Amino acid sequence: MIKGKKLWISVGIAAGLLAAGLGAWHFLGGGGRTIAEPVTEAEMGAIAWDISPRLMAMCQASPSDLPAHLEKWHREDRFIEYWRKAKEKPDVAPPAIDAALPLDSLSLPDLILARAFVEARNGVVLMDPDKRAFFEQFDWYQPVWAEGFKPQYAPDEVQWKKRLDAEIAKCHADDHVVVGGLKRSRLDHVVNRYQFRDLDQEVLRQLDTAGFSIVEGTDPQLWNMQDRNEYELVPTFVTTDLYLQLMRMRFKMLLKDLETRHLTTLLGRTLAGLREANRKRLDEATIPATKAASAWLDAYLAVAAGLAQGATSVEVAGEWSVAAQAEFAGASRAQGEGSQLLGEPRFDFTQMKPRGHYDRNDTLRAYFRAVRWLGEARIKTVDPVRFGAMALLASDLSANPERAQELSAWEQVVGAFAGPDNGLSLRQILSESQGKDLEALVADPAGLASLAKQVAAKDPARIKARASNATLQAEVAQPTVRLLPRRWSADGEMLQRLVELSPAPGPRPFPTAMDLWAVQGIAQADTILFQEEGQAKLWPAYPDSLAAVRKTFEKGIPGDDFHAKRMRLLRTIFDLPKGTVPDFLATPLWQRKNLLTATAAWTIQKQEVLLYQEQPVGAECGGGGQDEPPPPEPKGYVEPVPHFWRGAAAVLDDVDDLLARLDLADESVTSTNAEIRKDLLWLAECSEKELAGKALSPEDHSRLMFLGGAVESQTMMVTGMDKLAFDQSEEKHMGSVVDVYTNGKVLLEATGPASVIWAIVPIEGELRLVRGAIFSHREWKDAKRLTDKEWHEMIENGQMPPRSRWQDRIHAPVKKTISLPLSTSDC
């Protein structure tokens, strides 16, 4: 962002610097067109707006008399220095009012300019950027910014203003029309058009028919557009996307910090201690069943500990030596399929590929491989050797409170972020054994089999693999035990239950992110899935399956973990607030925009917990000083969803509570959370003012203008980097990619560069055009999993896959908005 004083771009250079603008206006009234219906080429030809020739002639007329109260100011050195020397404007009086100007022939923006003409000719510093830009083109506009200056209006001017006020009020009564049963803001009543030049006709179409328009861009961060708004004095639109991305960085970096400082150590000590206890047993064991289970357990723990330590190889004695080395090699390289050690011919080693924030350093890469492998290593309860090994592991944990406490501490943190276990763990073995000697049970085949049945009956797994035939389904559905079970999530269960693989490859072998919102009752998701994509035709059972999943989640997404809380927060952006809202907020197309935001936010949120949550799978075979006028002050607008802003603040409260409860509180974390929370609650207050039809204060508008810099600064605080380090890191690109479903190929969800959103909003009784930034999103199937670095390279090389077709109706079909970097110093 531009630091220090604000810069006012004069009209002479504004056209070259503004990213987009408006030079033509038209409202297509009547005809019964729906909000989504496009404007025809013939109608677009009518968008040939020019300022009223009479109004322009009045502004360009010969000078009349200089108002008396301006005479002394025109002689002062400071004004001579600025207007005559710096701006090279001659000492000229303003033209007179054209009292015969037919007001009923003027458009609303023309009327507002005509009224501002009276103020301009009397030396008023116009603070609206569009009005300032318009009048600065005339030599006679030389406003006075001295303290104590007051304009003095002549009687004819006072009368002129009254006439204009009445005409303007009459026009404002017609700011909206109803088309297809929905209110629509009139494009030709947007008052701040003079600030812009040459906005693309396709964007105009969407503004005219939908009230907002999205253009994909190239900015690596959402705040870049907010910075540009500040620099160019464009009214800013603060979207939920801006803070969803900041929240993502907050949770991502917090989890990364906890893993680096805390979880890696806990896991490493736990694995090392458990292997040491088992090796002692292995050396002393004489009973064949116990020795066999202990020998396998040594290989299992060796692989896990070796991955956690980032070792280059593992040493295992005995019959499992070769299998353990092959397992370690496959997991380390994240390549290949089939595990002899685990007895799983379809075991997918590519799941061990570090991605997300885990692909940043060797410590996190090692931690990722270990946790992912332990989560994917499912031990069937019907396998006496391997299940016996899990029983021995449970016995060792029970006998070693220190190791058990370490594992419990690890589980508390992971559970708080990613949710409850999805499947059996050592916990069920200990519970069902009811205090019996587990080593003795392992030595007793009948006793172990009985325990295995009891444990299997308690399987809590809700996300289970789907297969393409009954035989394979029976195999993948067998109850399994894991040392570190993957975590359950509502969205994971939704996706898993909405696929059908039989007969192979199945009528619906992959889910889609749109399923998540259809389950939660978003009507536009249904429209997309049924009317546009024909999912019921592809899979006739889809409507019934969707209804069944809806029934499961009819009370909303359950859970106290942060993932569940943030999913519930995303659901709130679809709720239409009560009060004075932009017309587009009540339209189906805005709900489609909300689908874009929610899906992109879910994508980046899902990447954070990629390591821990169960993945659904299918199996198939500046401020002006005293020497120049103060810069204009554009009025911004906050997406009016106070329930979202307050909900986001509450989630940060829960973060502080968790860290305090686990004795992991950190001053830098809590202070950063406090600063973000303060902004969120203020944005909620701004939203409530807007909904109540109240004006934001000048302080509010000023703060909104600088919000991009605030979010940038908070992102630096969250990452612990300065701007230079951030710009040299992978974090400089907000684009993220995550694989959310596996079935031969993987289903990838990704966010890309920031998109630009233009919207017509009500600000203090007038319709204004504002500009903000939102997410971009892609969904596609690929043969391989991707890291963020690989995704960023695809973006830079122009290899992004096309966006989902359901997004086309809210995107203007124009070239991407290319943004030039802004200097962050020397201003």
Side-chain angles (χ1 to χ4, degrees):
M1 65 172 284
I2 301 298
K3 308 293 184 183
K5 67 180 181 179
K6 296 178 281 186
L7 299 182
W8 163 238
I9 305 172
S10 71
V11 72
I13 61 173
L17 288 178
L18 292 179
L22 299 180
W25 294 87
H26 173 59
F27 175 69
L28 303 170
R33 176 182 292 108
T34 64
I35 288 294
E37 192 173 345
V39 185
T40 67
E41 288 297 328
E43 289 170 323
M44 286 306 290
I47 303 182
W49 177 86
D50 288 307
I51 189 171
S52 162
R54 286 285 296 273
L55 177 59
M56 199 68 183
M58 180 176 70
C59 294
Q60 295 175 327
S62 300
S64 62
D65 296 330
L66 183 69
H69 66 283
L70 292 180
E71 289 182 357
K72 73 168 184 174
W73 301 106
H74 277 228
R75 295 194 297 270
E76 284 214 358
D77 288 344
R78 59 186 293 202
F79 295 103
I80 292 173
E81 188 72 25
Y82 183 73
W83 291 119
R84 254 61 93 208
K85 296 183 179 179
K87 290 295 184 180
E88 299 182 343
K89 286 192 173 187
D91 186 8
V92 59
I97 291 173
D98 179 2
L101 181 63
L103 300 188
D104 59 1
S105 70
L106 301 182
S107 66
L108 174 59
D110 281 349
L111 289 169
I112 289 172
L113 273 189
R115 192 189 189 288
F117 172 80
V118 183
E119 298 171 331
R121 74 183 306 277
N122 280 280
V124 174
V125 178
L126 298 169
M127 299 308 291
D128 262 3
D130 50 305
K131 294 175 185 174
R132 178 86 69 89
F134 178 77
F135 285 104
E136 275 207 340
Q137 66 185 300
F138 306 115
D139 286 341
W140 57 263
Y141 181 56
Q142 299 180 31
V144 176
W145 65 93
E147 185 177 351
F149 168 77
K150 289 184 180 180
Q152 298 174 21
Y153 301 110
D156 63 325
E157 291 175 322
V158 173
Q159 188 60 32
W160 171 259
K161 285 169 57 176
K162 285 182 179 179
R163 285 180 58 206
L164 284 163
D165 286 342
E167 200 67 33
I168 289 170
K170 212 163 39 169
C171 281
H172 276 315
D174 198 28
D175 277 346
H176 312 271
V177 295
V178 176
V179 180
L182 294 171
K183 278 179 66 178
R184 181 191 293 175
S185 298
R186 291 185 54 166
L187 183 57
D188 63 341
H189 277 214
V190 172
V191 301
N192 60 329
R193 62 192 180 194
Y194 302 104
Q195 191 178 357
F196 309 106
R197 296 293 183 273
D198 304 324
L199 191 63
D200 192 282
Q201 294 284 295
E202 297 293 346
V203 175
L204 281 172
R205 289 178 202 268
Q206 288 193 325
L207 287 169
D208 197 26
T209 57
F212 71 96
S213 180
I214 300 170
V215 179
E216 288 202 333
T218 60
D219 279 331
Q221 294 288 341
L222 292 169
W223 76 64
N224 293 137
M225 182 54 67
Q226 309 299 132
D227 282 352
R228 196 160 291 102
N229 286 343
E230 176 195 338
Y231 181 77
E232 298 167 2
L233 296 172
V234 172
T236 196
F237 184 22
V238 179
T239 62
T240 53
D241 305 58
L242 183 65
Y243 276 84
L244 284 167
Q245 173 64 17
L246 179 59
M247 292 276 286
R248 179 277 201 283
M249 292 302 296
R250 166 73 287 174
F251 276 92
K252 174 182 175 179
M253 302 312 293
L254 176 60
L255 185 57
K256 179 181 176 182
D257 181 62
L258 290 172
E259 288 165 335
T260 302
R261 293 190 299 110
H262 188 57
L263 299 187
T264 53
T265 302
L266 287 175
L267 183 65
R269 283 205 303 256
T270 299
L271 292 173
L274 289 173
R275 191 183 186 203
E276 182 180 351
N278 182 63
R279 286 183 69 85
K280 183 178 180 181
R281 178 195 298 109
L282 180 59
D283 291 340
E284 298 172 355
T286 57
I287 300 174
T290 303
K291 196 169 187 68
S294 187
W296 183 88
L297 182 57
D298 181 58
Y300 170 87
L301 291 173
V303 171
L307 291 172
Q309 295 163 5
T312 56
S313 62
V314 292
E315 292 186 8
V316 176
E319 61 181 305
W320 294 106
S321 174
V322 174
Q325 291 173 18
E327 189 78 15
F328 182 82
S332 297
R333 294 195 301 265
Q335 295 177 358
E337 183 180 58
S339 167
Q340 181 183 353
L341 180 67
L342 300 173
E344 287 288 349
R346 280 174 293 278
F347 189 82
D348 182 7
F349 284 104
T350 68
Q351 290 275 19
M352 275 87 255
K353 180 179 181 178
R355 44 211 194 274
H357 69 267
Y358 301 97
D359 191 32
R360 298 293 192 267
N361 58 59
D362 289 340
T363 298
L364 288 175
R365 291 187 190 97
Y367 176 76
F368 182 95
R369 294 186 187 103
V371 174
R372 190 74 190 206
W373 183 80
L374 286 167
E376 295 296 330
R378 295 168 168 81
I379 310 305
K380 293 183 176 67
T381 57
V382 296
D383 184 328
V385 172
R386 295 181 177 89
F387 179 72
M390 291 294 105
L392 293 178
L393 200 54
S395 175
D396 292 341
L397 268 179
S398 178
N400 193 328
E402 185 178 357
R403 297 287 87 81
Q405 187 174 6
E406 288 171 346
L407 185 58
S408 176
W410 185 91
E411 289 178 325
Q412 281 189 67
V413 175
V414 171
F417 280 86
D421 289 349
N422 182 64
L424 297 166
S425 69
L426 304 187
R427 193 176 292 108
Q428 281 79 23
I429 294 178
L430 289 170
S431 173
E432 295 305 310
S433 65
Q434 298 178 342
K436 295 177 183 177
D437 185 340
L438 284 169
E439 285 199 31
L441 280 175
V442 171
D444 173 15
L448 183 63
S450 177
L451 175 63
K453 288 182 180 179
Q454 291 175 274
V455 170
K458 299 295 183 180
D459 189 358
R462 291 177 59 174
I463 302 175
K464 297 183 178 181
R466 304 287 292 272
S468 59
N469 60 65
T471 301
L472 189 53
Q473 184 62 50
E475 181 181 337
V476 299
Q478 288 182 341
T480 59
V481 177
R482 289 173 282 185
L483 174 58
L484 302 181
R486 303 292 297 282
R487 300 288 161 154
W488 175 85
S489 66
D491 48 293
E493 181 175 340
M494 292 173 190
L495 296 181
Q496 184 69 89
R497 290 174 61 182
L498 291 172
V499 297
E500 180 53 55
L501 311 183
S502 181
R508 199 170 198 255
F510 285 89
T512 172
M514 209 50 50
D515 293 334
L516 305 177
W517 314 114
V519 169
Q520 296 178 72
I522 305 305
Q524 272 297 294
D526 279 1
T527 298
I528 292 164
L529 289 166
F530 291 104
Q531 296 181 23
E532 298 176 20
E533 297 180 354
Q535 294 292 336
K537 294 179 180 178
L538 297 173
W539 180 28
Y542 178 73
D544 290 340
S545 297
L546 177 60
V549 182
R550 277 179 175 162
K551 182 68 175 175
T552 300
F553 296 100
E554 62 184 347
K555 294 182 179 179
I557 290 178
D560 291 327
D561 57 282
F562 289 123
H563 182 74
K565 290 177 179 178
R566 291 164 69 194
M567 286 296 291
R568 291 195 292 270
L569 179 64
L570 289 181
R571 178 60 181 78
T572 68
I573 69 175
F574 293 96
D575 299 330
L576 180 66
K578 295 180 180 179
T580 303
V581 298
D583 293 341
F584 59 75
L585 237 65
T587 68
L589 286 186
W590 185 252
Q591 288 291 62
R592 199 166 287 225
K593 178 270 165 192
N594 285 336
L595 284 173
L596 171 57
T597 294
T599 304
W602 167 74
T603 295
I604 56 180
Q605 184 176 320
K606 199 68 176 172
Q607 193 200 61
E608 296 164 24
V609 291
L610 165 73
L611 175 57
Y612 304 110
Q613 287 188 347
E614 193 80 77
Q615 181 176 110
V617 296
E620 56 177 293
C621 295
Q626 65 174 5
D627 295 326
E628 61 182 273
E633 296 177 352
K635 292 178 169 66
Y637 192 79
V638 179
E639 191 171 342
V641 282
H643 44 280
F644 169 84
W645 302 117
R646 293 193 184 280
V651 171
L652 289 181
D653 289 337
D654 292 341
V655 170
D656 289 345
D657 291 344
L658 171 73
L659 295 179
R661 190 167 68 250
L662 298 180
D663 198 25
L664 295 172
D666 180 274
E667 176 60 30
S668 65
V669 173
T670 54
S671 62
T672 301
N673 284 357
E675 184 170 325
I676 298 173
R677 184 187 304 109
K678 183 178 178 182
D679 281 353
L680 288 167
L681 293 176
W682 164 68
L683 289 168
E685 292 172 359
C686 289
S687 288
E688 288 161 351
K689 289 179 184 178
E690 292 168 345
L691 292 173
K694 297 178 180 178
L696 301 186
S697 69
E699 293 76 19
D700 287 334
H701 285 301
S702 177
R703 193 169 167 186
L704 287 176
M705 183 161 61
F706 290 104
L707 198 60
V711 173
E712 179 181 0
S713 175
Q714 288 162 358
T715 303
M716 299 304 110
M717 293 170 64
V718 163
T719 60
M721 305 180 199
D722 59 24
K723 189 65 166 60
L724 179 61
F726 183 86
D727 287 343
Q728 294 175 344
S729 75
E730 204 65 41
E731 303 300 344
K732 69 180 178 181
H733 300 288
M734 76 170 190
S736 299
V737 63
V738 60
D739 45 284
V740 298
Y741 185 82
T742 301
N743 181 18
K745 291 184 176 182
V746 292
L747 180 65
L748 294 170
E749 309 282 341
T751 60
S755 292
V756 181
I757 183 168
W758 291 91
I760 302 172
V761 301
I763 299 179
E764 298 176 15
E766 296 179 324
L767 297 179
R768 290 184 174 269
L769 190 65
V770 293
R771 183 175 66 179
I774 65 170
F775 292 117
S776 62
H777 180 265
R778 297 292 191 275
E779 178 182 77
W780 77 103
K781 303 171 190 70
D782 208 310
K784 66 174 185 177
R785 308 175 200 279
L786 292 176
T787 65
D788 281 349
K789 185 176 181 179
E790 291 168 335
W791 172 233
H792 296 161
E793 289 173 353
M794 287 177 63
I795 294 173
E796 291 173 359
N797 294 331
Q799 297 173 337
M800 288 176 65
R803 59 177 177 253
S804 301
R805 284 186 293 178
W806 64 263
Q807 297 184 38
D808 289 346
R809 292 173 67 189
I810 55 174
H811 282 83
V814 299
K815 291 182 178 179
K816 293 180 180 179
T817 300
I818 299 175
S819 303
L820 299 176
L822 295 176
S823 171
T824 58
S825 61
D826 302 327
C827 289

